[in-house]
Amino acid sequence: MPRPATARAQSETVGIILLLAVFVVSASAIGVAYVGGVGSNVDEVVVSADLSADGSDLRVDHLGGDALPNDELTVVVRTDGNATRYPFAPPPGEFGPGDRRTFSDALVANASNEVRLYHDGSGGEIERATLTPAPEPSVETGAIEGTVLGPGARSMRVASGASLGLRQVATPLSGATVVVDGAGRVAETRTGSGGGYRIDGLAPGEYDLSVTAPGFLAVTRSVTVEANRTKTVNVTLDPIEPAEFEVRIDDTEARVVGTEPVTVNATVENVGDEEGTQRIDFSVAGAVVESEPLTLPGGERRELSITWRPDPTDVGTVELAVASENDTATTTVEVLAPESDGVAYVDRDGDGTADETFSAAELADRGEFDGHLVIFDDAEIRGEFSAEADRITVRDGVLLSAESVDLDADGDVSIAGARIDASFTGWLGLSGGDIDIDSGGRIAARGATVTTTALVAPGDVDLSAADDIDLTNGVFSAQATALGSDGAIAIASDGGTVTTDGAWFAPDPTVEAGDED
């Protein structure tokens, strides 16, 4: 029997309601909401959203459905009885499928957070969730502390043996800036009145610790920080030294003749910490002849080459000086008279300059000299040579040769590094001449070569002085190189010592002295 139309209609209505009910229940399980009255050209808008926690940050993801304006959406978080609203706007625009909004630190860690996503226009709830984010894992950290010191006044102390001395006492430095950089973090602090500092919360790792203060050199140290430990780093700052120019003369000519140019090679170094500019003066005999400014950064140096040409009147020993505002270096150059045959001069007044210059022939004829006789160039004299003077010097590297040599001085005689030769004289070089050196003071013959060798009859070598005789590393020979007998070598010091370290003798000498080294 067919069912009444009314019953059939009721049955269809119930079925539709049940079907809608099932659909709504299924949609709520996956976060789908129907929002009415949103100004759409349809009666309802479908939105699917997800609420989740990322640490203490709240994330809202649009999983699908329709887009909604940001200014119509709000999240409300209730925790421990407190409610906080988080509007989606600003920014303007829409929250659409695939979008995510993150609200930083909206959730309380280790607590129950009731989260609701609302549509402000309709007052409808789009999604809800209860989120309990776990607390952030604690990071074990370390610390760096210490004291920054600067130089203080010098204080007196008593050393062993009751002797007194001064030492620098370091004092705390306040206001210094301390910076640590490493392990992904840069931290900064300043020292207190006692010079102390401390920086906490540093993750374990390697750090560069830098300390700076006005007027002091910066200091950087490498520091290893360990968890739950405090590293102590004390730092002493040195004051910045102002620019200071030190000068030294490296080399120059020892002697020039006439107006030959003199080149002075010098080095200027800024031994301070700061850059500076100073005027560098080049002086000849006390008069500045050249002056130039020089700028040098701290710790740098500059090599200078300065050329000076003597005047014809600049004969004698001339002092040359290179000077900064802090330091002066000096040297001397001997300017000889332009005579090409000059080999010696006499200094009568002791000022180191030539009062009269002699050729080799003039030197041999003169015999007696009033003052200091200086033989500065090779002098090969025909016949015998005898010289009497207040002092006698044969310069290093100079050869004095004659058939015989007799040097007699009231004061010192210096032949250090020189060569005195009276060898192979006479017919066919069969004989040698005597070499006599007599000093009323000392004889300086370190590194000298004194020879009177011959084929048959060499001469004798006689060195006598009232004071010390230094023959260190010298060569002294009175040998017969063929037939015949060697000559004699006699050394006598009336009141001093005779030093023969490293000296070579042929034959062995006789030595008379209170002390023989």
Side-chain angles (χ1 to χ4, degrees):
M1 176 176 171
R3 299 168 75 184
T6 302
R8 184 170 62 250
Q10 290 176 346
S11 175
E12 290 174 357
T13 301
V14 171
I16 292 172
I17 293 173
L18 290 175
L19 180 60
L20 288 173
V22 171
F23 180 76
V24 170
V25 170
S26 300
S28 298
I30 61 173
V32 177
Y34 294 85
V35 180
V38 294
S40 174
N41 55 7
V42 296
D43 290 337
E44 295 178 329
V45 176
V46 179
V47 179
S48 176
D50 179 67
L51 304 175
S52 61
D54 181 11
S56 61
D57 296 342
L58 171 63
R59 297 188 305 192
V60 182
D61 291 286
H62 195 305
L63 302 181
D66 296 302
L68 293 174
N70 284 341
D71 59 4
E72 294 182 5
L73 297 174
T74 300
V75 170
V76 178
V77 180
R78 290 181 174 85
T79 307
D80 298 330
N82 298 316
T84 306
R85 293 174 57 85
Y86 295 95
F88 269 54
E94 292 184 328
F95 183 56
D99 290 345
R100 168 180 287 180
R101 289 296 303 273
T102 300
F103 299 91
S104 299
D105 296 322
L107 304 176
V108 178
N110 208 27
S112 178
N113 299 263
E114 298 294 333
V115 183
R116 303 290 185 269
L117 174 61
Y118 290 105
H119 176 253
D120 293 337
S122 65
E125 181 182 291
I126 297 175
E127 176 65 356
R128 68 167 58 192
T130 301
L131 304 176
T132 307
E136 294 288 339
S138 60
V139 178
E140 294 184 332
T141 62
I144 302 176
E145 68 176 10
T147 303
V148 177
L149 303 174
R154 295 186 179 274
S155 65
M156 183 172 290
R157 62 183 177 87
V158 179
S160 60
S163 62
L164 297 178
L166 294 177
R167 63 184 179 91
Q168 190 79 44
V169 178
T171 58
L173 190 62
S174 63
T177 300
V178 182
V179 178
V180 292
D181 185 354
R185 181 187 175 190
V186 177
E188 179 179 320
T189 188
R190 291 184 180 274
T191 56
S193 59
Y197 72 92
R198 181 180 177 90
I199 299 177
D200 292 297
L202 300 176
E206 297 295 325
Y207 289 83
D208 288 332
L209 181 142
S210 301
V211 183
T212 58
F216 293 87
L217 294 173
V219 172
T220 300
R221 301 275 181 82
S222 295
V223 184
T224 301
V225 174
E226 300 178 5
N228 302 318
R229 291 183 178 273
T230 298
K231 185 76 171 184
T232 299
V233 181
N234 297 323
V235 177
T236 299
L237 299 183
D238 293 324
I240 295 175
E241 296 294 339
E244 181 178 354
F245 286 20
E246 288 188 354
V247 183
R248 73 169 183 268
I249 293 177
D250 301 315
D251 62 76
T252 189
E253 291 84 352
R255 292 188 300 274
V256 294
V257 177
T259 59
E260 292 179 356
V262 177
T263 300
V264 179
N265 296 314
T267 299
V268 181
E269 181 178 4
N270 182 359
V271 297
D273 301 311
E274 295 182 317
E275 180 178 277
T277 300
Q278 293 192 12
R279 185 164 290 278
I280 306 302
D281 295 334
F282 175 61
S283 302
V284 177
V288 177
V289 296
E290 188 174 343
S291 182
E292 292 290 340
L294 177 63
T295 299
L296 286 176
E300 291 197 7
R301 66 182 63 181
R302 182 77 55 81
E303 294 181 354
L304 306 177
S305 184
I306 306 167
T307 301
W308 168 66
R309 185 179 294 275
D311 290 330
T313 58
D314 292 324
V315 176
T317 301
V318 181
E319 182 180 81
L320 309 179
V322 180
S324 69
E325 297 173 13
N326 307 118
D327 191 22
T328 300
T330 62
T331 188
T332 58
V333 60
E334 185 175 1
V335 181
L336 305 177
E339 292 88 357
S340 59
D341 56 352
V343 297
Y345 69 82
V346 65
D347 174 14
R348 294 191 179 92
D349 52 12
D351 63 354
T353 61
D355 293 311
E356 187 176 357
T357 304
F358 308 96
S359 65
E362 293 169 338
L363 185 67
D365 292 341
R366 185 66 172 263
E368 296 184 5
F369 302 87
D370 180 17
H372 180 194
L373 175 64
V374 179
I375 303 175
F376 60 81
D377 204 355
D378 292 348
E380 300 183 38
I381 297 174
R382 296 179 180 274
E384 299 178 346
F385 173 65
S386 176
E388 296 182 13
D390 297 337
R391 291 170 53 201
I392 298 176
T393 297
V394 183
R395 289 246 171 97
D396 185 359
V398 169
L399 168 65
L400 171 60
S401 65
E403 291 185 3
S404 66
V405 176
D406 185 2
L407 304 178
D408 189 351
D410 296 335
D412 296 341
V413 174
S414 175
I415 60 170
R419 291 182 297 154
I420 311 298
D421 187 30
S423 302
F424 300 108
T425 61
W427 186 68
L428 297 180
L430 297 178
S431 61
D434 293 337
I435 297 176
D436 293 314
I437 299 177
D438 190 359
S439 168
R442 294 169 294 181
I443 294 178
R446 179 181 290 260
T449 300
V450 179
T451 55
T452 176
T453 56
L455 293 173
V456 177
D460 297 330
V461 176
D462 189 347
L463 308 177
S464 61
D467 208 335
D468 297 337
I469 300 177
D470 184 4
L471 310 179
T472 301
N473 297 328
V475 174
F476 304 88
S477 175
Q479 269 186 315
T481 59
L483 302 175
S485 301
D486 293 338
I489 300 177
I491 304 167
S493 171
D494 293 340
T497 60
V498 176
T499 303
T500 60
D501 294 339
W504 183 83
F505 299 95
D508 290 338
T510 60
V511 178
E512 297 180 7
D515 263 328
E516 180 187 350
D517 291 346

